[in-house]
Amino acid sequence: MPDDTITVGFIGLGTMGAFMAANIQKAGYPLVVHDIRREAGANRLAAGAAWAETPRAVAERCDVIFTSLPGPKEFEPVVFGPDGILAGIRPGAALFDLTTNAQALVRRMAAALAEKGAHGFDAPVSGGPKGAESGRLAIWVGGDRAVYDRFKPVLDAFGDQAAHIGPIGSATVAKLVHNMAGYAVQTVMAEVFSMGVKAGMDPLDLWAAVRQGAMGRRRSFDRLADQFLVGAYDPPAFPLKLAHKDISLAVGMGRDLGVPMRLCNLTLEEVNEALARGWGDLDSRVSMTLQLERANVAVRCDPAAVQAVLDADGAPTVTARGGKG
């Protein structure tokens, strides 16, 4: 049973945040919510949550606070602004930032909270909107282990794979490595598929073939079924503008550390070009179509035929939104 003496605050009720806050509330925790748009909290308020007018007001009332925001520029004023979390945080309270953020910023957040006798964690999630809704989320957490253990039951209320992975900043590294790898791989896939199609292969036949190789057996190519093979990028499973933010953070980290990241920088250039086309609100994989244009080839497979390939070996079903059911 949840500890109903722990009051939970949740700031940022967008696509991901709304689902995570709902699952926390369904688990029985008292909930205080805030968003830049009050209407975003309507469902939670109708279910009994309390509204706070500012992040400071959330912090003043809560034992643990979660932030789920688009990125660093939104996170910084929520924490450090005059009505931010730092101005109202209680001694002993904890802030778990679920945002995909910048390592330097989450470390600064944790240091500032420590001066108030509170605790800061970077806790980015992986699983997308469907995972946020179902509770099938990985939550990587960096920060004090003992405090993490205290609040882990709250994390378990909205994620099935919460894990403490190191000191503050560690989880941000893991999330950026994970996301950067994904975006770099999709850029390579567009290149090699355009080569194969231009060499004369049908894209569905080519895809069905490479899935049987060593990389394909690890399901690396299954991700192409969602958007790329069928040419469907709207509505987005994950918008290009948010992918651009993640890639920029990863490249920035490499630059700060003096690590050469040629492919990652090329990936950033691809996404910059896609944003310049006005594709920011489309699915992040839309940037793969730039390579198709350069190669002067088309990839547009019958969704039913794509699904038939997946069904042949029991792979998950592709949904109309482009995610997997």
Side-chain angles (χ1 to χ4, degrees), residues 103-170:
Q103 188 186 51
L105 183 54
V106 296
R107 284 177 169 172
R108 181 158 68 93
M109 170 269 291
L113 290 176
E115 292 180 1
K116 299 267 189 165
H119 310 277
F121 297 83
D122 55 332
V125 302
S126 182
K130 286 187 175 295
E133 183 175 15
S134 67
R136 294 180 62 84
L137 280 178
I139 310 171
W140 297 305
V141 183
D144 184 272
R145 179 60 189 259
V147 180
Y148 161 83
D149 288 339
R150 177 188 170 198
F151 291 109
K152 187 175 184 295
V154 187
L155 295 168
D156 291 340
F158 65 94
D160 64 338
Q161 295 291 331
H164 182 272
I165 64 170
I168 185 70
S170 301

Side-chain angles (χ1 to χ4, degrees), residues 8 11 23 66 87 89 126 181 195 219 225 236 274 293 313:
V8 179
I11 299 172
N23 286 330
F66 295 94
I89 195 77
S126 182
M195 175 188 66
R219 296 294 189 263
E293 287 185 16
D313 57 6

Side-chain angles (χ1 to χ4, degrees), residues 255-301:
R255 183 174 58 249
D256 292 343
L257 296 172
V259 177
M261 299 178 72
R262 180 177 297 177
L263 179 58
C264 293
N265 278 284
L266 289 174
T267 302
L268 178 58
E269 290 179 17
E270 289 288 279
V271 175
N272 283 337
E273 184 175 347
L275 281 179
R277 301 281 190 100
W279 297 345
D281 290 322
L282 298 179
D283 189 85
S284 58
R285 291 178 178 86
V286 72
S287 61
M288 298 171 78
T289 63
L290 295 171
Q291 177 62 23
L292 299 181
E293 287 185 16
R294 296 185 198 106
N296 194 29
V297 297
V299 172
R300 185 65 65 92
C301 302

Side-chain angles (χ1 to χ4, degrees), residues 26-46:
K26 289 174 185 175
Y29 290 98
L31 186 67
V32 179
V33 297
H34 173 76
D35 190 273
I36 194 170
R37 300 179 304 110
R38 185 184 176 105
E39 59 268 26
N43 289 342
R44 305 283 55 81
L45 299 180

